[in-house]
Amino acid sequence: MIRKFDFLVIGSGVAGMSYALQVAESGKGRVALVCKTSIEEANTAKAQGGVAAVTNLKLDNFEKHIQDTLIAGDYISDPAAVRAVVEGAPEGIRRLVSWGVQFDKNAEGEFDLHREGGHSEFRILHHADDTGFEIQRGLIAAVRRHPRITVLENHFAIEIITQHHLGIEVTRRTPDIECYGAYVLDPDTHKVDTFLSRVTVLATGGVGAVYASTTNPCIATGDGIAMAYRAKATVADMEFVQFHPTALYNPAETHPAYLITEAMRGYGGILRLPTGQEFMQKYDKRLSLAPRDIVARAIDREMKIHGIDHVCLDVRHKDAEETRRHFPNIYKKCLSIGIDITREMIPVVPCQHYFCGGIKVDLDAQTSIRRLYAIGECSCTGLHGGNRLASNSLIEAVVYADRAAAHALQHVASYGFNDAVPEWNDEGTMTNEEKVLIAQDVREVGQIMSAYVGIVRSNLRLHRAWTRLDLLYEETEELFKRVKATPDICELRNMINVGYLITRWALERKESRGLHYTIDYPRHAYDQQG
């Protein structure tokens, strides 16, 4: 079946929904919002800490926020992108509030601001310790109310449609690659429908499921990045994977792991060994408030030195009632596994959390493919550099959704629908044995990435990951060509693509930069095609 929309948005987190609302409110066309599972399930809802924005000009200013971002990113960030996000943040907050999102306020009626690691001032807006959930709630309500937005839940995007699907050879050197929409799997008919659009937006989130342990939901399999790369879009900074230093240590819960927000260290939490001994003084003068990459590496080193499987975050010295009030969900979660955080230390461990690289975009969120935009975690704007500053991601998504919408609205009338696009060939079957092998391969990808492309990397580890992913890549591509498209095989394919890109970029990095130390390794034949 062929379906036509003026705007096709793939992904329903804060980026995708913000964009959908912006273009829908313009009245310039119909919007399809494609959700891989339910509209409620997205990385946004897992964001506990908050949103960074300069809202108190008596104590803070844009230049401080810009400088904090550049420092955290190891000065690899694009200064223009940093300034665009920081200066656009207050307006982004205003839009979120206008759509019904609520942030906590103090007795004076002003935003109750928190401070997090790497920030020089209190500038984090929040809603208790479930800010992401509140943002998701407010935006979902606004999206469902809007008559021009069609929400398609449990629809799985398979491929981005370009000239390649018209029988034209497309390589990374092809000028003017153009996006005509996407092939999307319909769960009710089990058919892959052709979605034609004037403008297509990827807002598919991160890559956490590529690792064995992550704070991301299981749906974060790097789909948008893999689809864009296969369509010959440019990607950037793929080696920069951020590990959050403080996920709750609970071996029974690794996918997703429960996040202990950065705000808890901003609140006064102290990192200690299980014996009670502090250790951050050995690594950074900012102690427990150092940026995430420094803290994650410090914890990893202490765990290896002492042969332990976790360290601890201590808030026992804080007022118990205040702790319960500020962090009600963390308090309840820890209590559910027998830990009273007002009396006991919280066991924590680093865990894959955020992806700083992705589909390369300009200041208007345009990719290298015409009529294709990327926003949110799947994009690489240049804001984060080698390491994301805490709470910059949600506001980046809102600001770039606005910039993408503004640019698209200026040009959408000049774009048409390409009716020459063929329908998807979904012939083929998959055996039960093949389904079992796919599930095993998914687990293997996570094991490979966690063991060899984690917090600490070496040439030997990266080379081993490279070799094993190469074999999985060849097996999966052969399977994909002959079987019917299903979410399982498509997710595995995307995970391998993204894992391969992360490994390749890490091997090719010429010097020690940002989050990881890596050693150069020659380009693999995998990327010589096209």
Side-chain angles (χ1 to χ4, degrees):
M1 183 171 67
I2 297 176
R3 305 186 67 173
K4 294 183 178 181
F5 290 89
D6 300 285
F7 303 92
L8 174 61
V9 184
I10 302 173
S12 59
V14 60
M17 288 196 288
S18 294
Y19 179 92
L21 286 166
Q22 289 278 92
V23 295
E25 289 172 355
S26 74
K28 291 189 176 181
R30 295 190 309 133
V31 184
L33 185 65
V34 174
C35 314
K36 183 174 174 179
T37 53
S38 69
I39 193 172
E40 289 84 7
E41 188 170 7
N43 272 1
T44 296
K46 303 293 183 182
Q48 294 176 346
V51 187
V54 176
T55 57
N56 187 340
L57 293 176
K58 300 173 187 175
L59 302 174
D60 200 4
N61 59 60
F62 291 150
E63 297 306 320
K64 289 181 181 180
H65 191 180
I66 288 170
Q67 188 63 18
D68 291 344
T69 300
L70 292 172
I71 291 171
D74 201 31
Y75 292 99
I76 305 173
S77 305
D78 179 351
V82 175
R83 186 166 294 277
V85 171
V86 169
E87 294 185 350
E91 175 61 19
I93 296 297
R94 187 201 65 76
R95 283 196 301 277
L96 288 176
V97 172
S98 74
W99 288 325
V101 176
Q102 299 177 10
F103 295 106
D104 289 352
K105 295 185 176 181
N106 57 28
E108 289 73 42
E110 300 173 333
F111 289 125
D112 178 36
L113 303 176
H114 280 179
R115 182 184 173 195
E116 296 183 350
H119 288 273
S120 57
E121 299 292 349
F122 287 77
R123 64 169 70 99
I124 312 301
L125 290 80
H126 64 97
H127 182 274
D129 59 351
D130 61 351
T131 307
F133 182 85
E134 168 59 20
I135 291 174
Q136 193 81 354
R137 180 208 62 77
L139 293 180
I140 288 172
V143 162
R144 290 202 184 279
R145 286 195 303 265
H146 207 291
R148 291 192 182 91
I149 300 176
T150 300
V151 177
L152 298 162
E153 295 184 287
N154 299 301
H155 279 63
F156 195 107
I158 303 294
E159 291 288 5
I160 297 299
I161 301 172
T162 68
Q163 294 99 315
H164 164 74
H165 298 93
L166 302 177
I168 300 171
E169 182 181 2
V170 176
T171 73
R172 302 202 186 281
R173 293 174 291 278
T174 301
D176 301 322
I177 304 175
E178 193 165 38
C179 177
Y180 306 124
Y183 290 116
V184 180
L185 178 63
D186 185 326
D188 294 329
T189 64
H190 302 289
K191 297 286 186 180
V192 177
D193 293 333
T194 305
F195 278 65
L196 299 180
S197 60
R198 300 181 192 274
V199 170
T200 303
V201 180
L202 293 173
T204 52
V207 305
V210 173
Y211 284 83
S213 181
T214 177
T215 60
N216 295 183
C218 295
I219 61 170
T221 49
D223 301 327
I225 298 169
M227 285 190 291
Y229 186 75
R230 290 196 296 267
K232 304 301 186 283
T234 301
V235 297
D237 291 347
M238 293 294 293
E239 76 275 39
F240 292 137
V241 182
Q242 185 180 69
F243 294 83
H244 199 290
T246 56
L248 178 64
Y249 175 69
N250 180 8
E253 190 175 34
T254 60
H255 233 83
Y258 189 81
L259 178 66
I260 304 298
T261 174
E262 188 100 8
M264 187 160 273
R265 286 187 284 128
Y267 169 70
I270 299 170
L271 287 165
R272 302 181 187 275
L273 296 175
T275 59
Q277 180 183 356
E278 291 186 52
F279 58 86
M280 279 306 301
Q281 71 278 4
K282 296 192 292 184
Y283 301 96
D284 195 279
K285 64 182 181 181
R286 289 163 289 187
L287 305 177
S288 295
L289 274 174
R292 291 175 177 176
D293 63 316
I294 295 171
V295 178
R297 281 199 300 263
I299 292 174
D300 181 78
R301 179 170 171 76
E302 290 296 314
M303 287 166 55
K304 288 173 178 173
I305 289 173
H306 297 283
I308 54 179
D309 49 20
H310 69 275
V311 297
C312 296
L313 185 61
D314 186 8
V315 292
R316 294 173 299 174
H317 56 288
K318 303 292 289 187
D319 179 77
E321 186 55 39
E322 185 181 13
T323 297
R324 283 189 286 265
R325 184 174 69 253
H326 276 300
F327 307 103
N329 293 292
I330 292 176
Y331 177 77
K332 292 176 185 175
K333 175 64 179 179
C334 290
L335 204 59
S336 73
I337 60 172
I339 300 169
D340 182 346
I341 65 174
T342 65
R343 298 173 180 270
E344 301 166 90
M345 295 192 294
I346 308 168
V348 294
V349 66
C351 183
Q352 193 286 334
H353 181 59
Y354 190 83
F355 192 49
C356 297
I359 308 162
K360 186 174 176 58
V361 297
D362 64 12
L363 287 171
D364 294 315
Q366 295 182 97
T367 71
S368 59
I369 296 177
R370 289 187 68 234
R371 297 166 54 175
L372 178 67
Y373 298 77
I375 52 179
E377 192 173 351
C378 71
S379 70
C380 181
T381 65
L383 171 68
H384 306 304
N387 178 48
R388 176 175 68 92
L389 180 65
S391 291
N392 265 0
S393 55
L394 292 176
I395 199 61
E396 176 198 35
V398 176
V399 170
Y400 268 86
D402 177 57
R403 298 180 77 93
H407 186 272
L409 289 169
Q410 290 177 3
H411 297 87
V412 66
S414 65
Y415 301 145
F417 296 103
N418 193 326
D419 293 313
V421 171
E423 293 193 46
W424 181 268
N425 180 3
D426 58 1
E427 296 178 357
T429 58
M430 185 182 297
T431 66
N432 287 333
E433 184 178 11
E434 286 169 332
K435 292 179 182 179
V436 171
L437 291 175
I438 288 171
Q440 291 175 341
D441 286 348
V442 166
R443 286 193 294 272
E444 185 173 355
V445 171
Q447 292 165 354
I448 291 170
M449 295 301 292
S450 293
Y452 306 129
V453 199
I455 296 175
V456 177
R457 303 170 182 175
S458 69
N459 191 59
L460 178 62
R461 292 180 183 180
L462 292 170
H463 188 203
R464 182 166 293 185
W466 186 282
T467 302
R468 293 175 70 175
L469 287 170
D470 193 21
L471 178 61
L472 285 173
Y473 168 77
E474 292 176 0
E475 292 176 350
T476 304
E477 286 301 299
E478 190 277 330
L479 180 62
F480 182 77
K481 289 174 184 175
R482 66 179 177 79
V483 304
K484 190 172 182 178
T486 67
D488 290 346
I489 184 64
C490 291
E491 278 192 334
L492 173 61
R493 189 180 183 221
N494 293 338
M495 289 170 67
I496 293 172
N497 284 170
V498 169
Y500 216 125
L501 285 169
I502 293 170
T503 305
R504 194 203 84 195
W505 274 70
L507 283 167
E508 291 183 346
R509 181 60 72 185
K510 296 289 190 288
E511 58 189 12
S512 173
R513 294 173 68 179
L515 182 57
H516 302 292
Y517 174 74
T518 60
I519 303 174
D520 180 40
Y521 193 79
R523 182 181 295 270
H524 193 277
Y526 166 79
D527 199 53
Q528 294 295 336
Q529 55 185 6

